[in-house]
Amino acid sequence: MKQQTQTDTVNLKALVGKITSRWYLFAICLPLALGIAYLYMRFTPKVYEVKASILIDDKSKTTSDQDRLMRSMGMFGPKTQLKDEVELLTSYRYVKQVIDRLGMRVSYFSVDDYKTVEEFGDFPFRIKLDTTKAQMINTPIYIKRRSKDLYEIQVDGKKVEVYDLLADRELEELPKVEIRTVQKVNRPYNSEGLNFSIEFAKNPTLYDKDEYFFVINILGQQANNYRASLKVTPIDDKNSSVIQISSRGTVVEKEEKVVNTLLEVYLANEVQKRNEEGSRTIQFIDDQLGIVS
């Protein structure tokens, strides 16, 4: 036992000796590791998750005698089940309505200390697209305020897609785009593949970043991206009609708006469906009374 302890001590001393003889490696690697960790924390965007819940009227559980009579006479289709409402909340039609309502055809970004951040809410300017004309998509368009009456537009891109937003189809691909021009604030800008007007914010505190740019998106692509990121699931309780909606993204305000607007779109469509169903019920009763009389 004593011999084993002496051997362990000798091995430990040898290990410490090897480590201390290469102290310069630690002096190099430690600052390098700390630098990599700092850059990772500095430039990796944080991802936020927003959740909301809604109580769904699971009509498959609440069919009245009157409803059964109406449906037996072929007036309405089968009752909607909870799983159908889950599919409806993530449907392309509903999500596209959300994207359109929130004006997400245009995305806004700022650059500060070489870090690019997507912005949602207050921004130095807002873009109004001329949807009757062609627009270049998925390309950064930099805007810089020159004076009270002038601003600068700068675009550099290769293989830039030009899109018809109304017809929802690609028109052409420009091999190279280079735009550097100064434009009057109150005059719309029109060129090949770029047609918009701009409104600048009056709050000077918004102009505190190095650069600002916007990107024109296709609503269909935006809708499909959000359909992939949205999660709509019933809660664990099998007897519950509560559905949880969650969305993940780097801009928490944007995710909140998306979730809340999705609920608004769903509820508005539910009200419309109930009104239409009520109108059909009244028409059906009037028709039957007419036959009887």
Side-chain angles (χ1 to χ4, degrees), residues 182-195:
V182 176
Q183 184 77 2
K184 288 187 176 181
V185 170
N186 57 357
R187 182 178 298 175
Y189 177 76
N190 296 286
S191 69
E192 182 184 10
L194 189 57
N195 303 274

Side-chain angles (χ1 to χ4, degrees), residues 60-189:
S60 62
K61 299 179 181 179
T62 58
T63 304
S64 64
D65 292 337
Q66 180 182 356
D67 287 335
R68 282 193 289 269
L69 175 62
M70 294 288 189
R71 294 174 198 285
S72 67
M73 299 177 72
M75 181 165 176
F76 302 128
K79 282 290 188 178
T80 303
Q81 296 184 0
L82 189 63
K83 62 181 180 180
D84 298 323
E85 301 300 297
V86 172
E87 293 297 326
L88 195 60
L89 278 163
T90 56
S91 66
Y92 177 82
R93 181 168 68 93
Y94 276 25
V95 177
K96 189 175 180 180
Q97 288 181 46
V98 171
I99 302 301
D100 195 19
R101 278 195 188 189
L102 294 178
M104 292 169 62
R105 195 186 289 274
V106 178
S107 298
Y108 298 90
F109 300 86
S110 66
V111 182
D112 194 29
D113 291 336
Y114 304 102
K115 182 180 180 181
T116 301
V117 177
E118 183 178 2
E119 304 281 357
F120 193 83
D122 293 335
F123 200 71
F125 58 84
R126 288 292 163 185
I127 299 297
K128 184 177 181 181
L129 297 175
D130 185 349
T131 55
T132 64
K133 297 179 180 178
Q135 305 285 359
M136 58 180 68
I137 59 171
N138 303 326
T139 301
I141 302 162
Y142 288 83
I143 300 293
K144 185 175 182 179
R145 191 74 177 266
R146 286 289 190 179
S147 66
K148 179 181 178 182
D149 302 316
L150 300 174
Y151 68 96
E152 180 183 344
I153 304 171
Q154 181 175 334
V155 185
D156 291 287
K158 294 181 179 179
K159 296 183 178 181
V160 175
E161 295 177 86
V162 177
Y163 210 79
D164 185 335
L165 300 179
L166 289 181
D168 195 20
R169 63 186 179 91
E170 184 180 348
L171 298 177
E172 60 177 324
E173 184 181 87
L174 302 176
K176 189 174 183 180
V177 174
E178 288 184 359
I179 299 177
R180 281 175 179 79
T181 183
V182 176
Q183 184 77 2
K184 288 187 176 181
V185 170
N186 57 357
R187 182 178 298 175
Y189 177 76

Side-chain angles (χ1 to χ4, degrees), residues 260-273:
N260 289 333
T261 306
L262 179 60
L263 293 178
E264 291 173 4
V265 167
Y266 171 80
L267 293 174
N269 280 276
E270 283 297 298
V271 170
Q272 182 180 353
K273 284 194 296 184

